[in-house]
Amino acid sequence: MSINRARLLVMNAALGPLDYRVPEGMSVEYGSVVVAPLGPRQIMGIVWEEAKLPAHSVPDEKLRPLLGLVDVPPIRAELRRLIEWTADYYIAPMAAVARMVISSGGALRGPATMTEYRLSGGMPERMTPQREAALEALEGEQATIRELAGIAGVSEGVLRGLVNQGVLEPVEVDVDRPYPRAAPGHAVVELSEDQQAVAARLVEAVQAEEFAPFLLDGVTGSGKTETYFEAVAQALRQDRQVLVLLPEIALTEAFLSRFEDRFGTAPIVWHSSLKSTERRRAWRAIASGEAQVVVGARSALFLPYANLGLIVVDEAHEISFKQEDGVRYNARDVAVMRSHFERIPVVLASATPALESLHMADSGTYEKLVLPSRYGGATLPTIKLVNLTEEQPGRGAWIAAPLRAALEDRLEKGEQSLLFLNRRGYAPLTLCRNCGFRFQCPNCSAWLVEHRLSRRLSCHHCGHETKPPERCPECGEEECLVACGPGVERIADEVAEILPDARVALVTSDTINSPEKAAEFVAQAEAKAIDVIVGTQLVTKGFHFPELTLVGVIDADLGLEGGDLRAAERTYQQVAQVAGRAGRGSKPGEVLIQTRHPDAPVIAALEAGDRDAFYEAETESRRHAGAPPFGRWAAIIVSSEDDSEAREAANRIGTTRPFLDDVMILGPAPAPLALLRNRYRYRLLLNARRTANLQAVIRDWLRQVDHPPGVRVGVDIDPYSFV
Ligand code: ADP
Ligand code: ZN
């Protein structure tokens, strides 16, 4: 880099790299975060290596000077290489990836102190319903006015009124105050022999400070977490930072308390709904190296760790690691790449690893570490099928006789049961009994799902909501709506009918929508204040309830519907994970799986508890289809608010397709979800042999085609969703 020129990767995906003059007195290096002029506005950018970011050269005298240097450590070369790799692999703009690193303008530029507000204990001069609601909702809260307004569900104006009257008092907060220190030796756990062997290998890898990818393959309850905590402890001893990625933010609460038991203090949490002050504090601590252990959702992966020493991806098979909008990346795979660039170990932990991960282990790319049995001699549950073609529940019922009997039995014994159905709401489809009208989302090609608890019909794709109408909008008949099919709310109702005395907890993202609610649920379940848990995939993982001895899977066939190439694998994983919730204590567990297809290979493998048989069959079918890991898939999604515009754009792409021996191209065809958020969608699917350079093919191809401004063309590399 010449002393007085700097090339910037600017935080705007529509712009290419831009060159600036470095004014006298300012000292920048590669990775420096700077503010630059852009026309009359300002823009943030990262100083980048010229050779890695080609641009038209602008003569020195035409360069505008940088405006300022942001007071944060420069983005390290390791992370700059990761940004480049991610953009290249997923065919995304570098700026879009870099924005995930910067992730919060406030983190970089905001003041170091800020004003938050809390209740002072005083009362308003005049009580209004809104003020009353605010007073109740804000008990124990402290945040900015805007955040408090969100919490209380009132306008900021209402709260400003309360500030003026002294009911809310200001508190000056030092945003960047330090975090408590985690202690590697706080409460050391004695490991079993198997666990010790695994832990020793991980500790050794942390000490070696070299790239080392591990697949930690252990049955549910085998102590994977306990074991990788030893690696975390080692990293702490070496003053290196640790990142633990969890698939679901609802899971973090249980994780945090376990972590605190082991290390004496909770780790730093990172997710998208942090308050701006928490975000800034965490970001800065991560960038300075002060943050020791960060637990987060996938977005934590791109943070600018100063000194990363270990990455753990827990429940690594989970599809929520795949981001489906913006930069469509898979955090599990990018975590391995980050470890490669940082030259550190990475642990993918799972009881039901993705076929791709197992393949990497079997081919020697990843080192496989196995925990074959549950800790403390707890046995794996027995698994039985309930054949729904023989054992039909009555009309409007979904719990067949054997499962019903088992539920009654557990309630009598005072043990807990869990019913699993991966469908939120009361019923997936509502129609008019009189004319057959079906309630559909106006913005998406999808049915509206009835939610009785919140008295809404809602679209699970775009969030559109309406009140269920009194009369059919088509034929005008009154009280004619019928619910079709079950959701978890309906199953909970059915349980209440079968077992009127049972205490039933409904666990879905609608009811467990905050870490506090999750903690409350866990506390109740542990205190045995719940007899039956009815839940969606939220209950399939992480939870450890010793008194839970029965798991019922309401509809194991549900996941097998639809054209998703991983449908069988996902069904296997979900059912195996939820089955893993049973019998974790001293009492043995039982799992009843309701199905119409007892002979389907995945269901038969579940019944036999034969994981290897399932993976073998699945491997063969993938090999046959040229699917991952044997071949690669990519999708091109073309969308527009105008149907014919979208179709024409998709056709233009279709007619310019390359003809190659090692890449098969299907489509364009209307996407299964042909309308999503008011955009019409068409897709092309690519299936490539491993020899093909799929990204280069797509990039060269799409570069040749121009579209009107209303058309969006998205690329999904290694797609998970085929809608
Ligand atoms: P996994 O992550 O494989 O599902 P966990 O680490 O959650 O397994 O362990 C399951 C349960 O067994 C947890 O309650 C954990 O605290 C306990 N456990 C596992 N290993 C040990 C150990 N060595 N000593 C004491 N408790 C353990
Ligand atoms: Zn919708």
Side-chain angles (χ1 to χ4, degrees), residues 189-191 195 219 221-226 258 375 544 584:
V189 171
E190 199 171 315
L191 298 182
Q195 291 173 341
V219 296
S222 57
K224 293 185 290 299
T225 314
E226 225 59 75
R258 252 181 101 170
Y375 174 76
H544 179 76
R584 292 170 74 96

Side-chain angles (χ1 to χ4, degrees), residues 416-428:
Q416 291 172 322
S417 306
L418 185 162
L419 296 180
F420 167 67
L421 175 66
N422 202 18
R423 227 191 227 152
R424 289 160 52 212
Y426 184 84

Side-chain angles (χ1 to χ4, degrees), residues 441-444 446 448 459-464 676-677:
C441 176
N443 315 321
C444 306
L448 291 178
C459 172
H460 287 183
H461 296 285
C462 72
H464 170 85
L676 176 64
R677 293 188 198 94

Side-chain angles (χ1 to χ4, degrees), residues 189-201 222-223 227 370-376:
V189 171
E190 199 171 315
L191 298 182
S192 72
E193 214 166 294
D194 285 339
Q195 291 173 341
Q196 256 174 38
V198 170
R201 183 68 195 94
S222 57
T227 307
V370 181
L371 291 174
S373 52
R374 280 190 161 179
Y375 174 76

Side-chain angles (χ1 to χ4, degrees), residues 658 660 663 665 686 692-702:
L660 300 163
V663 183
I665 300 172
L686 289 79
N693 185 342
L694 189 55
Q695 280 86 348
V697 168
I698 296 174
R699 218 177 277 116
D700 290 345
W701 174 15
L702 294 183

Side-chain angles (χ1 to χ4, degrees), residues 69-89:
L69 181 63
V70 180
D71 175 28
V72 293
I75 304 302
R76 293 163 57 244
E78 291 84 348
L79 184 49
R80 298 202 298 278
R81 302 294 83 84
L82 185 77
I83 293 171
E84 289 161 358
W85 181 86
T86 305
D88 189 60
Y89 186 88

